[in-house]
Amino acid sequence: MKVVTVASAKGGVGKSTFCSCVGKVHALHDKRVLLVDMDIGVRSLDILLGVAEKTVYNWGDLLKGNCDFRQAVIEVSRNLYLLPAPIDFSESYTPEKFKEAIGPYKKDFDYIFLDAPAGLERGFLLSAGSGDSCVIITTPDTVSIRAASYACDGVRKAGINDVRLVVNKFNKKTHRKIDVDSVIDTVGARLLGIVPYSEEIYNCSDGEKIPYSCKGNEAIVRIAKRMDGENLPFRVKNL
């Protein structure tokens, strides 16, 4: 079982979309997956997964003892579950208590993805304090790359040593001046994958299915396989 923190210090880079997509891919390949929304107040995974109306409890209720760990999760589809974020922050939400609260899920799931919010406070610290590994998401622009570097430093300070990088929304024509090797060096994490910008992915919401053959989804499938230990080459030239 792997608890994976998905992070960046900047919003809008596609963390929640990545979590939603990679979770669905793992679930389709018979992995049991729990997605945990860590964006206190804003919350988006329930909308992306099309289960907003099913939300009753959240992990805040779990920490406060208002429900047990089975009641807190929502079944999205076969093998895929969501643990929503609370609406408001509480001082009782500490990294230690959060890590203890998600402990019972570890025996039931192959992957737990913690979808960290933008920034390096509260939700980020809770996420970084519970992850076994981390995927840093960046888009190929200087602001996002710098933010990804800060996030990488932050999760390492929290004790996560296994940190990988996903370059998201890559467009070969628009980003022809971007040197992926330089991005890797700046962020300080090994490359896990490059996801081309895909209208099919970013136009999907409310649980809509992404066309399997679109390039963005193909890249996510390859990333999921690498997470499972497969040694696959990167396809920068074909993006």
Side-chain angles (χ1 to χ4, degrees):
M1 199 289 309
K2 301 175 183 176
V3 181
V4 183
T5 299
V6 179
S8 172
K10 183 179 181 298
V13 298
K15 294 185 297 295
S16 297
T17 301
F18 173 82
C19 286
S20 173
C21 292
V22 79
K24 290 176 181 178
V25 169
H26 279 305
L28 285 171
H29 289 83
D30 294 322
K31 302 292 184 181
R32 284 178 58 82
V33 180
L34 176 63
L35 305 180
V36 185
D37 195 335
M38 302 300 296
D39 199 351
I40 301 167
V42 178
R43 308 187 302 175
S44 61
L45 276 178
D46 59 335
I47 295 175
L48 289 175
L49 296 168
V51 294
E53 294 182 356
K54 296 183 179 180
T55 301
V56 177
Y57 296 110
N58 55 64
W59 57 256
D61 292 310
L62 188 61
L63 267 65
K64 293 176 181 178
N66 296 333
C67 64
D68 68 25
F69 75 100
R70 296 177 185 86
Q71 292 174 307
V73 298
I74 301 168
E75 183 176 2
V76 178
S77 59
R78 180 177 175 271
N79 292 328
L80 183 63
Y81 294 79
L82 170 67
L83 179 57
I87 297 174
D88 300 305
F89 183 79
S90 168
E91 294 299 332
S92 65
Y93 301 161
T94 64
E96 294 78 16
K97 286 185 178 180
F98 179 79
K99 188 172 185 177
E100 180 182 355
I102 65 168
Y105 295 112
K106 292 184 177 183
K107 67 179 185 299
D108 293 330
F109 292 96
D110 298 294
Y111 283 99
I112 298 176
F113 289 94
L114 308 179
D115 181 18
L120 299 174
E121 301 176 354
R122 291 181 174 176
F124 174 85
L125 295 175
L126 292 177
S127 306
S130 296
D132 301 317
S133 64
C134 179
V135 175
I136 300 290
I137 309 291
T138 186
T139 49
D141 61 87
T142 54
V143 174
S144 296
I145 293 167
R146 178 187 290 178
S149 175
Y150 293 156
C152 188
D153 290 342
V155 296
R156 286 210 167 99
K157 287 178 182 177
I160 299 177
N161 296 315
D162 182 7
V163 186
R164 304 294 297 273
L165 173 68
V166 169
V167 181
N168 199 23
K169 303 183 184 180
F170 188 90
N171 185 309
K172 186 169 66 174
K173 294 181 179 178
T174 305
H175 303 122
R176 61 185 180 277
K177 295 183 179 180
I178 298 293
D179 180 2
V180 174
D181 289 334
S182 295
V183 176
I184 295 169
D185 291 341
T186 300
V187 176
R190 290 186 300 142
L191 187 65
L192 179 62
I194 302 171
V195 182
Y197 181 81
S198 172
E199 292 287 345
E200 293 92 341
I201 287 180
Y202 293 102
N203 286 339
C204 281
S205 61
D206 298 332
E208 294 178 36
K209 291 184 178 181
I210 300 166
Y212 189 83
S213 60
C214 81
K215 284 189 174 182
N217 192 65
E218 289 176 355
I220 295 290
V221 170
R222 293 173 67 81
I223 286 171
K225 289 181 177 180
R226 291 189 189 107
M227 295 182 78
D228 277 339
E230 291 192 37
N231 186 17
L232 299 176
F234 297 98
R235 295 178 172 178
V236 180
K237 295 181 179 180
N238 296 329
L239 295 179

